Amino acid sequence: MGGLVNLPNNLRQFYQISRFLPRPTKEGVVNAIVTSRLDYCNALLYGTSAINITRLQRIQNTAARLITRSPRSDSATPLLRELHWQPIVCRVDFKLLVFTYKAMHNDAPVYLCELVCPYQPTRTLRSANNDMLEVKRTRTKAGDCSFAIAAASLWNNLPTVIKTCDNLTSYKRLLKTHFFVSHISVIRHEHY
């Protein structure tokens, strides 16, 4: 989170000049300054504390209010919906699931491909044909947050139509729509 340290200061500085800029320019600047930093290595944030997620969500909400010139008292949920931005939790899950898709199709580094194991039951079950991944048991919270476990858990909860997608572009589009429809109301704290 080192690159995020100065982000609130950058937003404050940008706010001072934002009223002189048209909305498309503001969106471009915010994407360059804020969104790129929120998305950088965010797959590592899977399972992090609610405090860290809340801090990042607060930054995203502030950026949305800056673009739309909304007062701080306004709820961020409609603003995120208007901008087609996913909450931080969904962005983390999205990144993990994209890595999982690439690993399953051998389009990722070998070390990630080796961590993704298709589910093969010992006897004939209906779940054998559902494109499931094997979720290994762990004894620690850190183990549950590892790529192999997190990827399999998230993948197994996806609808079959998304899991059986034949190319990465369509997969990303369907996945983003799935998160947008089912998780836009996940934002835990709307008033920052």
Side-chain angles (χ1 to χ4, degrees):
M1 291 174 60
L4 296 171
V5 173
N6 291 327
L7 203 49
N9 292 333
N10 293 351
L11 279 174
R12 273 188 223 103
Q13 292 169 351
F14 182 64
Y15 179 77
Q16 294 172 356
I17 63 166
S18 67
R19 63 184 171 175
F20 302 113
L21 301 173
R23 182 168 170 162
T25 305
K26 285 192 277 190
E27 287 181 21
V29 172
V30 167
N31 281 330
I33 293 174
V34 179
T35 309
S36 62
R37 290 187 194 173
L38 290 175
D39 287 341
Y40 180 73
C41 291
N42 68 349
L44 297 173
L45 295 173
Y46 183 84
T48 190
S49 69
I51 293 170
N52 287 335
I53 295 295
T54 301
R55 287 176 182 161
L56 296 173
Q57 189 62 57
R58 190 176 298 145
I59 291 171
Q60 186 184 37
N61 294 350
T62 302
R65 287 188 184 101
L66 190 139
I67 288 174
T68 59
R69 298 194 46 84
S70 301
R72 187 177 168 135
S73 59
D74 283 2
S75 172
T77 303
L79 303 178
L80 295 177
R81 188 177 293 129
E82 177 186 334
L83 294 167
H84 293 280
W85 287 0
Q86 297 173 6
I88 297 299
V89 174
C90 294
R91 294 173 94 90
V92 170
D93 292 352
F94 179 84
K95 182 76 71 80
L96 268 174
L97 285 166
V98 168
F99 287 149
T100 306
Y101 181 89
K102 288 181 177 182
M104 290 184 65
H105 293 85
N106 294 321
D107 193 24
V110 176
Y111 62 89
L112 285 182
C113 295
E114 292 172 351
L115 295 174
V116 176
C117 302
Y119 174 64
Q120 297 173 340
T122 55
R123 52 195 164 108
T124 306
L125 299 172
R126 282 181 284 161
S127 62
N129 297 329
N130 287 344
D131 292 318
M132 305 277 281
L133 295 178
E134 183 180 341
V135 181
K136 297 177 178 137
R137 294 180 185 254
T138 62
R139 296 181 183 189
T140 63
K141 173 89 169 136
D144 291 342
C145 296
S146 68
F147 177 77
I149 307 305
S153 299
L154 290 171
W155 180 267
N156 291 344
N157 290 327
L158 285 178
T160 306
V161 70
I162 297 175
K163 291 191 273 189
T164 57
C165 204
D166 58 350
N167 67 34
L168 183 61
T169 305
S170 299
Y171 173 77
K172 284 181 175 180
R173 184 176 41 78
L174 288 172
L175 185 60
K176 190 170 186 176
T177 302
H178 170 71
F179 279 135
F180 190 74
V181 169
S182 61
H183 292 102
I184 193 66
S185 61
V186 167
I187 300 172
R188 295 184 178 104
H189 306 287
E190 295 180 357
H191 299 287
Y192 294 113

